[in-house]
Amino acid sequence: MDYFRAVYVADERSPRALALTAEALQFNSGNYTVWHFRRLILESLKIDLHSELGFVERMAAGNSKNYQMWHHRRWVAEKLGPEARNIELDFTKKILSIDAKHYHAWSHRQWVLQALGGWENELNYCTELLEVDIFNNSAWNQRYFVITRSPFLGGLKAMRESEVLYTIEAIEGYPENESSWRYLRGLYKGETASWVNDPQVSSVCLKILRTKTNYVFALSTILDLICSGYQPMEDIRDAIVALKTTDMDKQNNDDDEIGDQQNLNIARSICSILEQVDPIRINYWIWRKSRLLPST
Amino acid sequence: MSRESEGETNSSAAEAAPPCPTVTQRDQWMVESQVFQIYQLFATIPPNAKTLMLELQRDNHMEFLSKGLRHLSSSFSVLDSNRPWLCYWIFHSIALLGESVDDELEDNAIDFLNRCQDPNGGYAGGPGQMPHIATTYAAVNTLITLGGQKSLASINRDKLYGFLRRMKQPNGGFRMHDEGEIDVRACYTAISVASVLNILDDELMQNVGDYILSCQTYEGGIGGEPGSEAHGGYTFCGLAAMILIGEVNRLDLPRLVDWVVYRQGKECGFQGRTNKLVDGCYSFWQGGAVALLQRLYPIINKQMEGTSQIFTISDVSEEKGILDGTSSHATCHDGRHEGTSESCSSDFKNIGYNFINEWRAQEPLFHTIALQQYILLCAQEQEGGLRDKPGKRRDHYHTCYCLSGLSLCQYSWSKHPDSPPLPNLVLGPYSNLLEPIHPLYNLVLERYREAHEFFFAES
């Protein structure tokens, strides 16, 4: 470290200084000052940056959860430009094959796509990952990233129809999977009316409610829909009432009421059911219920 | 807590041939089985043993922390560029426990941090290194935690301001260090430091709101960079920063609330991301985010009203509530927090201070007893120190954030930010009670107040 300090203070930009940074980084890969100095040397010496990618990869083998290393990698890739694209996509893919939710790898991959391109296969890649693990929220997030930003796809609106079908299938397979429910909601971002009015949404909720298993997200989706203007039809109302247990307040007989009051009652019922079947969130459901109506 | 709630049966029960579990499912079930084993044991033991199991091992934690301090002077290579963080994690934990260390040790820490201070502003990860915003945050928070004239006066605010200005990017974000990475964490650590030291201004706040807003994802939480996955750490950072610059109303708060509350699972602790594993440190990042959101009901209500087509929620109820005294969502009389995005130029300087002075008793949105249960039964190591989860090793980072989360839970229902909670809100013996914190900065409240007096004296 003393040798390193000497060349650092002298701002020596030589091959030996470069070698010393490598040594220093073995000692402590989190030393951002050393990484920064290394970049200065690489620039001054006009070193071929392809070999630098190799260096970073060797460092990654030691510890891949290191901000500095990933930042350095981004810097190198940016300098190399489009020719680094496939290398970077392969590199992140490798990391993700070991840890499919690696946060830095995903950030880097997103940066590569935006800065260097390579969008063509990305949606397929997401589908592959989800086939292996439908619960991989990072893959769902990446899917959203692709459909909203890929220059080869038409954007959220254009992709909505096919994505809704895809997502509903995922929901029906594993209704307990939060990722797919959030993704479904995300497909209508900024267009609440479309979400409320799309019969596919309420229809998948109804399907799940009728199975009487893993229905927490189906219920909360109906609740959110009602709060955005949705008026549930009889079949949904019946399915919800069927989930109430004997100790729940059955005084709100929905048959007697119509319109807003009926919707209000159903929403209240949903909150009551959720207080019971999703007890870890009891305070949240109580709060949601309180936001529904004026105190009577 | 371990009883599977109705409707949450394993999907394979409903299918003929259960498919092969995915990595997510396998990992999750492994953790659940470890955690439930602990809870089941707990459920079967007599009350005295229960109290013992729930006891915060103060002495052992202090010993672990003191040992860490002694090591600070010797080599600790991987964290060589993170030593201010170690200082903060350790000293903050000690302060949360209501303890203190030798004057000499404190003095050494102040001197050490001073040697990390760059002559051109900011604090580095170690002497001789480049200044870095995150280590600056850690150093400043440590010095405030240590308190006292020498400590607080050692911070060169003018130079620090210059450093923050140099790190400021046109897109609103901040670089962590000279040509370093830009992300939401950098925004928070920069804004937090500027706010607490009273050097926040329009130049620093410029476009920060735009940047953080672009990091809120379709899930409702906030990611590290635009497009990145919603993540507990970044969610806390983004939310706190938005509050400090007076632009929190720009976030989709109902979605944010919904995302965060779903991060608490049947293990009782919080996970960092959807479908990932519980981790003790998120007790603060996620728990803290909820604690902040609880103070924003007037704004959240307005946003919910805005999207609601059927229910006119707040107007009627709050008015009635105020009239007959049943309203627990008393509106903040400070106009800024009622949803206006324009803040008077000098108002933002007092946001941090007003945040705790305009405290109201609000019911928490997460399950505070359950989280305490996770921290005390699963995150505590009996020999001292706290950890991510059973099976993981203790460390100072997790000790800091588990304890910070514990404090949040204990004070979550309080009428005033530092009024002692009722015993039934503190899980375990009442001696488990920690010091209260300021949730925007994660500083022990008493120390924050001292710092506020010191740094805001002139204005």
Side-chain angles (χ1 to χ4, degrees):
Chain A
M1 278 307 284
D2 290 327
Y3 286 131
F4 168 77
R5 243 186 246 291
V7 302
Y8 178 62
V9 168
D11 196 14
E12 180 183 312
R13 314 240 179 134
S14 67
R16 88 168 164 173
L18 188 68
L20 283 169
T21 62
E23 254 181 63
L25 289 172
Q26 297 291 358
F27 182 66
N28 175 19
S29 58
N31 196 322
Y32 57 92
T33 305
V34 178
W35 282 108
H36 178 250
F37 186 50
R38 189 176 172 88
R39 287 189 279 277
L40 295 177
I41 299 170
L42 289 168
E43 268 183 328
S44 296
L45 297 182
K46 302 198 193 323
I47 302 268
D48 168 31
L49 292 174
H50 286 98
S51 57
E52 188 64 7
L53 289 177
F55 172 75
V56 180
E57 188 155 351
R58 286 190 297 282
M59 296 271 349
N63 167 29
S64 71
K65 301 218 164 147
N66 173 330
Y67 281 104
Q68 291 72 38
M69 191 209 75
W70 285 99
H71 178 64
H72 188 78
R73 182 116 197 159
R74 197 181 288 203
W75 180 87
V76 173
E78 191 163 28
K79 290 255 172 219
L80 286 171
E83 58 176 285
R85 183 180 91 186
N86 291 338
I87 304 172
E88 293 313 283
L89 291 176
D90 286 343
F91 176 68
T92 50
K93 199 168 189 174
K94 215 191 307 189
I95 303 276
L96 292 170
S97 68
I98 303 168
D99 176 1
K101 303 181 184 182
H102 196 293
Y103 204 83
H104 294 288
W106 279 117
S107 293
H108 187 68
R109 197 173 172 89
Q110 288 190 344
W111 174 83
V112 172
L113 288 167
Q114 287 187 124
L116 310 176
W119 295 93
E120 296 89 331
N121 279 324
E122 199 63 9
L123 191 59
N124 281 341
Y125 179 54
C126 293
T127 305
E128 275 169 32
L129 289 172
L130 289 172
E131 236 158 86
V132 169
D133 187 353
I134 196 71
F135 297 91
N136 184 345
N137 197 65
S138 307
W140 283 102
N141 183 74
Q142 185 71 350
R143 203 177 173 94
Y144 197 85
F145 181 78
V146 173
I147 65 168
T148 50
R149 298 179 196 228
S150 169
F152 292 99
L153 304 170
L156 185 57
K157 247 189 165 112
M159 294 297 292
R160 183 176 297 147
E161 201 178 312
S162 54
E163 287 298 298
V164 167
L165 288 172
Y166 177 84
T167 311
I168 286 182
E169 199 183 319
I171 289 174
E172 288 171 352
Y174 294 92
E176 75 274 32
N177 183 10
E178 188 178 346
S179 294
S180 46
W181 289 97
R182 287 206 179 265
Y183 187 80
L184 181 65
R185 180 73 185 87
L187 290 172
Y188 299 88
K189 193 161 189 249
E191 288 184 55
T192 307
S194 307
W195 175 60
V196 170
N197 295 323
D198 191 339
Q200 293 175 99
V201 178
S202 46
S203 148
V204 69
C205 291
L206 178 60
K207 201 165 179 179
I208 307 297
L209 289 172
R210 283 187 170 146
T211 68
K212 299 198 177 189
T213 51
N214 295 323
Y215 53 78
V216 168
F217 295 115
L219 273 180
S220 60
T221 301
I222 300 281
L223 177 65
D224 291 342
L225 283 165
I226 295 175
C227 290
S228 297
Y230 173 67
Q231 321 223 28
M233 303 299 270
E234 194 175 339
D235 45 10
I236 298 240
R237 295 199 311 269
D238 290 345
I240 291 168
V241 171
L243 295 172
K244 285 171 116 172
T245 59
T246 47
D247 56 335
M248 281 182 211
D249 173 22
K250 289 227 168 185
Q251 282 171 349
N252 297 319
N253 268 324
D254 313 292
D255 300 335
D256 308 350
E257 311 280 1
I258 51 162
D260 280 1
Q261 189 55 43
Q262 185 177 59
N263 292 331
L264 194 51
N265 287 342
I266 274 293
R268 279 179 60 84
S269 297
I270 292 176
C271 291
S272 300
I273 298 169
L274 286 168
E275 283 171 39
Q276 296 236 331
V277 304
D278 192 22
I280 195 74
R281 262 166 288 286
I282 191 168
N283 291 334
Y284 179 61
W285 301 124
I286 290 173
W287 177 71
R288 290 293 301 268
K289 196 193 270 179
S290 77
R291 297 293 82 214
L292 288 177
L293 82 168
S295 5
T296 34
Chain B
M1 283 310 136
S2 61
R3 176 185 69 88
E4 281 210 333
S5 32
E6 229 174 74
E8 286 288 33
T9 49
N10 191 312
S11 67
S12 64
E15 294 167 353
C20 193
T22 71
V23 173
T24 300
Q25 287 177 306
R26 266 203 326 266
D27 289 347
Q28 175 63 20
W29 294 340
M30 272 192 28
V31 173
E32 274 179 27
S33 84
Q34 280 194 296
V35 168
F36 292 153
Q37 209 170 52
I38 295 173
Y39 293 159
Q40 270 148 28
L41 168 70
F42 180 78
T44 58
I45 59 182
N48 319 11
K50 275 195 166 74
T51 308
L52 226 61
M53 238 180 119
L54 286 173
E55 197 176 323
L56 185 65
Q57 299 296 316
R58 286 172 168 280
D59 293 338
N60 291 342
H61 295 324
M62 268 309 289
E63 205 188 303
F64 173 63
L65 292 163
S66 306
K67 226 173 27 185
L69 270 183
R70 290 196 290 274
H71 268 271
L72 212 51
S73 37
S74 67
S75 84
F76 215 81
S77 75
V78 175
L79 294 173
D80 235 5
S81 305
N82 256 344
R83 277 187 279 178
W85 276 113
L86 259 180
C87 290
Y88 169 63
W89 297 332
I90 294 174
F91 281 110
H92 180 57
S93 299
I94 291 172
L96 283 168
L97 289 167
E99 302 280 348
S100 57
V101 295
D102 286 347
D103 286 345
E104 199 188 326
L105 267 172
E106 289 197 3
D107 249 21
N108 287 345
I110 297 171
D111 289 337
F112 171 74
L113 289 171
N114 217 20
R115 287 189 290 129
C116 294
Q117 186 165 206
D118 189 276
N120 291 319
Y123 289 80
Q129 297 176 35
M130 282 164 45
H132 188 293
I133 298 190
T135 47
T136 298
Y137 168 87
V140 168
N141 270 14
T142 305
L143 291 164
I144 291 176
T145 303
L146 292 170
Q149 169 75 20
K150 180 182 176 195
S151 178
L152 300 175
S154 71
I155 304 172
N156 188 331
R157 290 192 288 161
D158 292 333
K159 292 289 188 188
L160 210 164
Y161 176 77
F163 168 62
L164 293 176
R165 283 292 298 271
R166 286 196 301 279
M167 296 304 105
K168 178 79 183 175
Q169 301 301 297
N171 72 347
F174 287 83
R175 283 196 183 277
M176 275 297 193
H177 57 85
D178 194 11
E179 65 89 72
E181 69 270 25
I182 304 172
D183 64 21
V184 165
R185 219 176 37 130
C187 291
Y188 167 68
T189 46
I191 297 292
S192 173
V193 161
S195 167
V196 83
L197 295 179
N198 194 17
I199 54 175
L200 188 58
D201 68 6
D202 286 315
E203 306 290 346
L204 288 176
M205 298 195 315
Q206 186 88 254
N207 295 339
V208 176
D210 293 340
Y211 180 76
I212 297 175
L213 196 57
S214 74
C215 295
Q216 183 172 24
T217 81
Y218 68 91
E219 288 195 81
I222 300 174
E225 295 176 79
S228 297
E229 193 182 357
H231 179 292
Y234 296 116
T235 297
F236 173 82
C237 288
L239 179 59
M242 287 299 255
I243 292 173
L244 287 171
I245 64 171
E247 294 184 33
V248 71
N249 54 291
R250 297 177 66 191
L251 290 167
D252 184 342
L253 294 172
R255 285 305 290 161
L256 210 165
V257 171
D258 190 80
W259 179 82
V260 189
V261 301
Y262 266 97
R263 306 288 52 82
Q264 187 173 25
K266 51 169 83 103
E267 313 92 323
C268 299
F270 276 103
Q271 63 189 180
R273 302 181 250 167
T274 307
N275 280 334
K276 285 216 78 183
L277 302 174
V278 66
D279 181 335
C281 71
Y282 293 111
S283 308
F284 178 75
W285 302 121
Q286 306 283 31
V290 186
L292 294 176
L293 289 163
Q294 277 169 229
R295 305 291 143 206
L296 304 176
Y297 284 141
I299 307 179
I300 299 177
N301 290 340
K302 270 211 159 60
Q303 287 190 0
M304 285 174 86
E305 240 178 285
T307 56
S308 163
Q309 299 196 3
I310 316 185
F311 309 115
T312 49
I313 305 166
S314 9
D315 292 349
V316 177
S317 67
E318 294 207 30
E319 207 183 279
K320 187 176 190 312
I322 289 166
L323 287 175
D324 63 17
T326 56
S327 170
S328 58
H329 301 297
T331 49
C332 190
H333 58 250
D334 185 342
R336 181 184 56 248
H337 283 294
E338 291 213 20
T340 54
S341 52
E342 327 87 48
S343 35
C344 307
S345 52
S346 60
D347 265 7
F348 58 78
K349 288 178 181 273
N350 293 314
I351 290 182
Y353 189 66
N354 291 338
F355 197 81
I356 45 159
N357 281 354
E358 286 162 6
W359 208 254
R360 300 278 184 279
Q362 305 282 9
E363 50 289 0
L365 285 175
F366 68 102
H367 203 308
T368 55
I369 296 295
L371 182 58
Q372 291 182 65
Q373 181 176 301
Y374 181 81
I375 296 170
L376 295 168
L377 296 182
C378 299
Q380 255 201 126
E381 249 185 55
Q382 292 299 308
E383 310 79 46
L386 292 101
R387 62 197 173 196
D388 165 348
K389 55 172 68 67
K392 292 282 173 89
R393 273 253 75 191
R394 66 189 181 178
D395 58 44
H396 295 105
Y397 164 80
H398 283 93
T399 301
C400 171
Y401 289 104
C402 285
L403 289 177
S404 302
L406 186 60
S407 170
L408 278 173
C409 292
Q410 293 170 343
Y411 291 87
S412 56
W413 295 73
S414 291
K415 268 196 175 42
H416 303 287
D418 39 10
S419 53
L422 294 172
N424 64 323
L425 298 168
V426 176
L427 189 63
Y430 201 71
S431 57
N432 281 3
L433 187 65
L434 297 171
E435 295 302 304
I437 59 167
H438 191 313
L440 282 170
Y441 309 106
N442 196 11
L443 288 167
V444 167
L445 210 44
E446 202 194 305
R447 310 299 162 90
Y448 164 76
R449 289 207 163 103
E450 189 196 339
H452 185 265
E453 244 185 75
F454 186 89
F455 295 118
F456 284 71
E458 311 96 38
S459 42

